[in-house]
Amino acid sequence: MSAPIDFYFDFASPYGYIAAQQIDKIAERHGRSVTWRAIVLDANFQSLERIRIPNSVMRSDYIRRDAERLATFYGVEYRTPSNLGAHTEQAARIFHWVHDRQPQRGRDFANRVMKAYFVDDKNIASEDVLGAIASDMEISAEDLQEASANPASRSRLKAEVDMAEARGVFGSPFFIVEGERFWGNDRLPQLERWLSGGPY
Amino acid sequence: MSAPIDFYFDFASPYGYIAAQQIDKIAERHGRSVTWRAIVLDANFQSLERIRIPNSVMRSDYIRRDAERLATFYGVEYRTPSNLGAHTEQAARIFHWVHDRQPQRGRDFANRVMKAYFVDDKNIASEDVLGAIASDMEISAEDLQEASANPASRSRLKAEVDMAEARGVFGSPFFIVEGERFWGNDRLPQLERWLSGGPY
């Protein structure tokens, strides 16, 4: 049995959301499994450098349009969130808490968070929104508190982000299979060729 | 007759080179023409902002590998240039000089420059290399001098880059069709859908 495909995503990334609708099916076609790994970009990465890139407003206008067009292209339900770029630490902590105990349930949580953000336009940085999702999944208030605010839960997320960084992850979505890195859902055809034919 | 597709590229961009092998065929399938437009990223763009992005070394390692893998994926002959990130002003100036007079000949020049850089590992920032290409194309030494160093030729390139910026171009390759922007060769399937089915 081959190792799982690591799927890194930030809950605030439209591209991560679009990839989340595809990666499991792609893996399944090749008899592979996927490990979902929530990370938080910006916040924790150490090795940041300042480099020149074009006007970020121009770029974000482009990305807004591109994400909508891409979702249409792939037939994925999508609506640009009002608060694009929401803080995702809380959601990521809860995700890992649930996922460490029950992977499938963690994935269910992730999908609900993404739907809340990218379909229902809810603010996933809000405790109320995350609380409602947890409640729907019958996660107790006590467990939710532990998952979202416990020091162990904070350390858990930090370790995940540190590991991602050590492995050379710098965007969302990001895939690693047999040590090979693929950045962006537009690299899924290249990843699929890797799965079917091996290294190239 | 529909307007041509604008194809922006920087001679130093591996992705621009890979796209250059594909865009004309895609356009042709839909009865469209392509206007090739050499630009110089970094150098002239005005509206730059500094934002945080991950360690550039990590990223450039990734891009080196990604470009090689992508070229293999598309069956494009490619070898990472020794001097990746060469200055391309000179090549771009000559391109526009030739292209303004004879578009097809301009494209021929562009293809020769890309081949020199991405296949034969020549330094396209070197006057000798550009001179040899011009000589092969029977461009006279006098014309070459005018194309590469004349103030009019400098202004011509600057105007092209300014116009690109005004239209929201910020990378290579970049395509504009009916005002719609597509960034990266991985957006070619989305561009093709636009050509075949109209706006979406």
Side-chain angles (χ1 to χ4, degrees), chain A residues 23-48:
Chain A
I23 185 62
D24 289 323
K25 283 171 217 151
I26 290 172
E28 201 179 330
R29 278 204 287 278
H30 301 278
R32 302 285 283 256
S33 62
V34 180
T35 304
W36 287 36
R37 298 180 177 278
I39 52 171
V40 177
L41 296 167
D42 304 338
N44 299 42
F45 279 68
Q46 302 297 313
S47 57
L48 292 165

Side-chain angles (χ1 to χ4, degrees), chain B residues 73-177:
Chain B
F73 185 82
Y74 286 120
V76 171
E77 200 177 358
Y78 176 82
R79 182 174 152 178
T80 302
S82 309
N83 67 331
L84 197 60
H87 288 290
T88 56
E89 286 91 339
Q90 201 84 322
R93 274 186 228 139
I94 301 169
F95 166 81
H96 285 292
W97 192 92
V98 177
H99 189 268
D100 285 346
R101 284 150 184 82
Q102 292 176 274
Q104 192 51 52
R105 203 161 144 78
R107 203 175 296 208
D108 181 23
F109 175 79
N111 281 321
R112 286 169 188 254
V113 171
M114 290 182 189
K115 181 174 179 300
Y117 195 47
F118 294 113
V119 178
D120 302 330
D121 195 20
K122 299 213 170 127
N123 178 7
I124 58 165
S126 141
E127 286 188 21
D128 289 350
V129 169
L130 294 174
I133 291 171
S135 167
D136 285 348
M137 289 179 64
E138 300 180 352
I139 296 170
S140 73
E142 196 184 0
D143 282 351
L144 179 63
Q145 175 65 19
E146 184 185 327
S148 59
N150 194 295
S153 189
R154 291 173 189 267
S155 303
R156 172 68 183 86
L157 177 60
K158 184 173 186 317
E160 189 72 39
V161 173
D162 287 348
M163 185 176 70
E165 189 195 347
R167 300 179 78 191
V169 173
F170 52 81
S172 168
F174 213 103
F175 308 92
I176 302 185
V177 50

Side-chain angles (χ1 to χ4, degrees), chain A residues 15 42-43 45 47-59 61-63 65-66 69-70 72-74 165-166 168-171 174 180-187 189-190 193-194 199-200, chain B residues 15 42-43 45 47-59 61-63 65-66 69-70 72-74 165-166 168-171 174 180-187 189-190 193-194 199-200:
Chain A
Y15 300 114
D42 304 338
F45 279 68
S47 57
L48 292 165
E49 278 182 13
R50 293 185 167 274
I51 67 148
R52 291 160 72 82
I53 73 137
N55 186 311
S56 60
V57 174
M58 177 204 290
R59 195 161 178 274
D61 280 356
Y62 176 81
I63 290 207
R65 172 75 186 115
D66 183 55
R69 195 171 60 197
L70 210 59
T72 304
F73 185 81
Y74 286 121
E165 189 195 347
V169 173
F170 53 80
F174 214 103
E180 184 79 1
R181 296 179 294 162
F182 296 87
W183 174 30
N185 50 41
D186 39 70
R187 290 301 178 270
Q190 284 82 49
R193 171 161 162 178
W194 184 280
Y200 61 98
Chain B
Y15 300 114
D42 303 340
F45 278 69
S47 58
L48 292 163
E49 280 182 12
R50 294 186 164 274
I51 67 150
R52 291 160 71 80
I53 72 136
N55 186 311
S56 60
V57 174
M58 177 203 289
R59 194 160 177 276
D61 281 356
Y62 176 81
I63 290 202
R65 173 74 186 115
D66 182 55
R69 196 172 59 198
L70 211 59
T72 304
F73 185 82
Y74 286 120
E165 189 195 347
V169 173
F170 52 81
F174 213 103
E180 184 78 1
R181 296 180 294 161
F182 296 87
W183 174 30
N185 50 40
D186 39 70
R187 290 299 178 273
Q190 284 82 50
R193 170 161 162 176
W194 184 281
Y200 61 98

